[in-house]
Amino acid sequence: MKKLQVSYAICALLSCSTFAAQARADNWPGWLAPQLEQHPDISAAREQLLGSWATADATDQPLHNPELYSEVERGGEENNFRVGVQQTLDWWDRKGARKDQAVSIRQAAEAQYRQLAMDRTAEVLEALIEWDAANRAATIATAQKDHFQTLLELARKRQSAGDISTIDAELTFLFLSQQLAELAELEVASLTAESRLRELLPEWTPALGGISKDEWPTLPSSLSEEALLTHPAVETARANWQALKEEAEVTRRAARAEPTVGINAGRDGGENVVALTFAIPLNVRNDFSAETRAASRAALEAEARYRSALRKQRFEFEAALAAWQRFQQQYGRWQTVAQSHVESGPEMLERQWRSGDLSTADYLQTLNQRAESLLAGIALEKQTQLALTQVLLTSGQLIAATVPPSAQTN
């Protein structure tokens, strides 16, 4: 029984650096690769790859098998018979063109596999970024809710003591109610992101954490033509074009007549006979020029699609790079302007409120604005990381995927 053996691996390695989980900073890429391999989309892509390889193997085979034939007839008192073999010749070397076509089919299949693996890795990283941001935002909202809860109790005590008015206590309650609604939304977002990660990564748990902020790579400011040509999406389009070019050549050669030669031996009228045969089709009613034109047009269409894919990939990279640079710039400004202020302020504000230097309304409004500033920083950081993921994806640097190097049957 034959068993197809395939050696493959997906290594989620950045070209400039690596991603690392907070709990698995030692070998996050090594942990991520088998997780991706378990996803049904990767399994389907692997089977599609192997099917394309089988198609390439079939394309690379000889075109004509020899034919064995026999003939028996009764002539008077004699039994006449002939046994022979004949072979159609590949006179115009169609097999040579089909061999080149098989190479292009394999290249297209492998590039398509790498593209899907890269897309799936980007989806995983984006899900990790979304979860990390939602989780941190929910943590801030929870702390804000707890703070308002404590503040409400203090406000009621101060109201009983006559330090603040009833309106101040009611205002605190309104802020707390608003915070509860916002917290519910953020918790749902966190749970949704967590569920998405569990679907993508079967063994992931919240304890593994998200992506370490210190492991993001430094990107090139431009994408070279050589790197652009090796992007899986561009490489797939180019390989498909080459395959159709070879298909057009195969069709052109197939339109030419190919001879069939044979040899037979037997007995005729009691005598031993040996004969040579020769046959050639006469392409007089159909010269197959329409098939040749159709194949040529298909190749021209594939070339245009390749040019379009090359152009599209270049502009997508430039747009993604510009977006990342803008988010990176704004996030840097937020860190410079807001981070130090929002991290050192609650205790001082509370002391001012307790001493009466700050009204309850101003105190609550300032606390609310501080939380919104923190959430804005998380949102900017998330968008920066998502934009960077898109830059890596459009430049082809997100993942180095090793497709099956060989398929052997035993």
Side-chain angles (χ1 to χ4, degrees), residues 5-304:
Q5 295 182 338
V6 182
S7 173
Y8 71 93
I10 302 175
C11 301
L13 300 176
L14 296 177
S15 59
C16 304
S17 182
T18 59
F19 288 128
Q22 294 172 357
R24 286 181 177 265
D26 54 340
N27 192 23
W28 171 260
W31 178 84
L32 179 60
Q35 295 293 303
L36 289 174
E37 291 173 359
Q38 296 177 38
H39 198 279
D41 286 348
I42 297 297
S43 299
R46 187 167 60 249
E47 296 303 325
Q48 182 182 21
L49 173 65
L50 295 178
S52 298
W53 275 358
T55 300
D57 291 341
T59 304
D60 202 15
Q61 297 301 311
L63 292 170
H64 308 293
N65 284 316
E67 299 178 20
L68 179 67
Y69 68 94
S70 62
E71 178 183 346
V72 179
E73 65 177 9
R74 178 79 174 176
E77 298 295 328
E78 299 290 337
N79 291 323
N80 302 323
F81 67 90
R82 292 174 183 269
V83 177
V85 63
Q86 63 184 21
Q87 173 72 56
T88 300
L89 303 180
D90 184 14
W91 194 259
W92 306 108
D93 192 25
R94 277 196 288 165
K95 184 180 184 300
R98 286 167 61 90
K99 183 176 182 179
D100 294 337
Q101 184 184 9
V103 172
S104 297
I105 291 174
R106 292 187 181 95
Q107 290 175 346
E110 293 173 3
Q112 187 174 1
Y113 180 86
R114 292 200 306 273
Q115 179 65 51
L116 189 139
M118 190 166 63
D119 290 341
R120 184 62 58 225
T121 303
E123 187 176 356
V124 168
L125 296 179
E126 289 170 355
L128 284 168
I129 294 168
E130 293 283 355
W131 173 83
D132 183 63
N135 191 51
R136 287 191 292 140
T139 300
I140 290 174
T142 300
Q144 184 81 338
K145 183 263 296 181
D146 294 340
H147 194 79
F148 280 144
Q149 184 70 49
T150 303
L151 181 60
L152 180 60
E153 295 174 1
L154 291 174
R156 285 173 176 170
K157 291 179 181 179
R158 292 187 64 183
Q159 178 192 358
S160 300
D163 292 341
I164 60 176
S165 66
T166 305
I167 296 177
D168 290 337
E170 289 297 322
L171 186 60
T172 306
F173 173 76
L174 292 175
F175 269 86
L176 175 60
S177 300
Q178 180 184 3
Q179 191 63 38
L180 289 173
E182 294 178 358
L183 176 60
E185 293 180 0
L186 292 172
E187 286 178 337
V188 169
S190 178
L191 291 173
T192 301
E194 180 178 335
S195 177
R196 180 59 175 155
L197 274 174
R198 291 183 185 276
E199 187 271 326
L200 292 171
L201 302 173
E203 297 180 10
W204 180 87
T205 63
L208 293 176
I211 302 169
S212 173
K213 302 179 183 65
D214 299 328
E215 296 297 333
W216 290 97
T218 301
L219 292 177
S221 58
S222 61
L223 186 63
S224 67
E225 191 70 18
E226 182 180 356
L228 184 63
L229 290 173
T230 58
H231 191 284
V234 177
E235 193 173 352
T236 299
R238 185 176 70 250
N240 285 331
W241 168 40
Q242 294 297 327
L244 286 173
K245 280 180 61 179
E246 297 301 333
E247 177 64 24
E249 178 62 21
V250 170
T251 304
R252 186 184 68 82
R253 295 183 187 185
R256 300 178 179 179
E258 292 182 326
T260 300
V261 297
I263 183 172
N264 62 73
R267 292 183 65 81
D268 188 358
E271 299 291 334
N272 294 328
V273 295
V274 177
L276 297 176
T277 61
F278 177 84
I280 188 169
L282 301 177
N283 296 343
V284 292
R285 300 186 64 189
N286 184 0
D287 61 0
F288 302 99
S289 59
E291 288 84 348
T292 302
R293 292 197 307 272
S296 297
R297 294 300 178 184
L300 290 174
E301 177 189 354
E303 180 182 5

Side-chain angles (χ1 to χ4, degrees), residues 329-380:
Q329 182 183 31
Q330 297 303 326
Y331 180 57
R333 288 179 178 177
W334 180 89
Q335 289 178 307
T336 301
V337 174
Q339 191 172 29
S340 59
H341 294 283
V342 297
E343 288 181 353
S344 59
E347 296 80 5
M348 180 186 65
L349 292 172
E350 184 174 349
R351 287 196 301 269
Q352 290 179 339
W353 175 70
R354 286 175 178 272
S355 65
D357 296 335
L358 191 65
S359 69
T360 302
D362 290 340
Y363 179 36
L364 293 173
Q365 186 65 32
T366 304
L367 286 177
N368 202 45
Q369 290 177 345
R370 174 184 174 276
E372 289 180 357
S373 180
L374 285 172
L375 293 176
I378 292 174
L380 274 174

